[in-house]
Amino acid sequence: MKIKDIVKELIACGRNRTQYISEYLASLGLHFTIQEYFDGQKNIEFSVSNDKTKQDILFFAHHDISLKTHEGANDNTSSVAVLLSLAKSIARQTFAYNIRFVFTDNEELLGALSSSTTPDKLQQIMPHVGSFMYLSKFADKKNIRHIIVTELLGIGDAVYVASQSGSVMTDADLNRKIFEIARADNFQTVQLKLPSTDMLSVKVFGLSGTVIGAIPYYQAQNYVKQANRLPAVWQNIHSEKDNIFAVQENALEMMKSFLLCLIEKL
């Protein structure tokens, strides 16, 4: 199955994609856990374990979508689809670290935050965010080696790596490793500042990580030169323009290949 077909099937599920994710993993005979919190909000975790290590590389992909769109094809259905396709590819392999894919809920709540958000308001919102709840209740934080948040994997010919997400600085050492891997494997890359993502949850727990995704290279270059104007591909998220017609199979396959390189070489 092409990755874009997985995107289509996830979109067909409406706003509740957790059943599809569970059934997809189950159809492959893969073990996964569903982590429910509050009123039916759910994370789903799939892992590939190495019995010789306790260290984890963690990949987040939020499965919720903005209320301003019906499809959320790029944000963030694309990331969920890529990780599902990748899960099928790596399920029977062993890597240097335990690989954990966590499909998280309610990341879009973070879009409501701003620099003026009070600590009390933040304290009210964060327990509803899936990445926060995962790190709070389900993760063994002392064993986490790297956290990689996947966002917007469906459009573009270059891999972006975030230098900053909202007010959160990403892990500079991890970013350097990612760029070295990208150069060695001939992936086109660019470093950008991003709006808020699940990196906020990472910061709350004193952990570090980064955010990666796909972007058209020419748009990324223009964004670097004109920092106040968002790339067109980002302007379309949280709108009805974020639909299946915009998503590119080549971008999805590129990001799947790149994530596999990270898993093998980090």
Side-chain angles (χ1 to χ4, degrees):
M1 179 185 292
K2 291 183 177 180
I3 305 176
K4 190 168 180 177
D5 291 332
I6 302 176
V7 176
K8 290 178 182 176
E9 293 188 352
L10 283 161
I11 288 171
C13 297
R15 294 190 177 278
N16 184 3
R17 281 96 191 271
T18 54
Q19 183 175 351
Y20 180 89
I21 295 169
S22 300
E23 290 177 353
Y24 183 96
L25 295 171
S27 72
L28 300 176
L30 305 179
H31 176 72
F32 61 93
T33 58
I34 300 174
Q35 302 154 356
E36 188 165 349
Y37 63 98
F38 285 107
D39 298 325
Q41 296 159 11
K42 297 176 183 177
N43 297 332
I44 300 174
E45 179 181 7
F46 160 76
S47 61
V48 177
S49 298
N50 179 345
D51 294 337
K52 296 181 180 180
T53 182
K54 292 184 178 181
Q55 291 195 305
D56 301 331
I57 297 181
L58 191 63
F59 292 87
F60 281 143
H62 71 87
H63 61 73
D64 63 308
I65 62 173
S66 168
L67 294 175
K68 297 178 181 179
T69 179
H70 288 92
E71 296 190 13
N74 195 29
D75 182 20
N76 196 31
T77 312
S78 62
S79 300
V80 174
V82 169
L83 289 193
L84 287 175
S85 181
L86 187 55
K88 181 178 180 179
S89 299
I90 70 172
R92 313 303 175 193
Q93 300 183 50
T94 301
F95 301 97
Y97 307 104
N98 302 309
I99 309 301
R100 300 188 182 278
F101 294 168
V102 186
F103 304 97
T104 60
D105 209 345
N106 273 355
E107 186 269 356
E108 293 294 352
L109 284 177
L110 299 177
L113 303 180
S114 68
S115 58
S116 62
T117 301
T118 65
D120 287 345
K121 182 66 173 177
L122 185 63
Q123 202 167 26
Q124 292 173 10
I125 289 175
M126 292 307 293
H128 294 272
V129 176
S131 55
F132 177 92
M133 290 305 295
Y134 176 79
L135 293 171
S136 175
K137 295 183 63 176
F138 303 105
D140 193 342
K141 291 183 282 297
K142 69 179 183 298
N143 291 335
I144 296 175
R145 180 178 179 85
H146 297 304
I147 297 176
I148 297 175
V149 178
T150 59
E151 279 277 359
L152 313 176
L153 270 57
I155 305 172
D157 57 353
V159 177
Y160 76 73
V161 183
S163 58
Q164 186 174 338
S165 174
S167 62
V168 181
M169 301 302 297
T170 58
D171 185 331
D173 289 336
L174 174 58
N175 289 346
R176 277 192 289 273
K177 291 179 184 177
I178 291 174
F179 282 120
E180 288 172 3
I181 292 169
R183 282 194 296 271
D185 289 275
N186 297 314
F187 287 95
Q188 191 167 229
T189 56
V190 64
Q191 190 162 40
L192 301 173
K193 293 181 180 179
L194 264 68
S196 292
T197 65
D198 280 320
M199 275 300 301
L200 183 57
S201 298
V202 176
K203 179 185 178 182
V204 168
F205 290 98
L207 302 169
S208 64
T210 196
V211 189
I212 65 170
I215 192 168
Y217 187 71
Y218 75 93
Q219 288 191 22
Q221 291 300 299
N222 289 339
Y223 178 48
V224 171
K225 295 174 184 175
Q226 304 172 3
N228 292 329
R229 182 173 176 81
L230 288 177
V233 68
W234 293 355
Q235 293 176 35
N236 290 338
I237 65 172
H238 299 176
S239 78
E240 297 302 350
K241 292 181 180 180
D242 186 10
N243 57 51
I244 190 62
F245 300 106
V247 171
Q248 304 161 340
E249 182 67 28
N250 287 346
L252 298 167
E253 289 289 349
M254 174 188 72
M255 292 307 303
K256 178 182 176 182
S257 297
F258 186 65
L259 289 174
L260 182 57
C261 286
L262 295 186
I263 289 170
E264 292 175 340
K265 297 180 179 181
L266 274 177

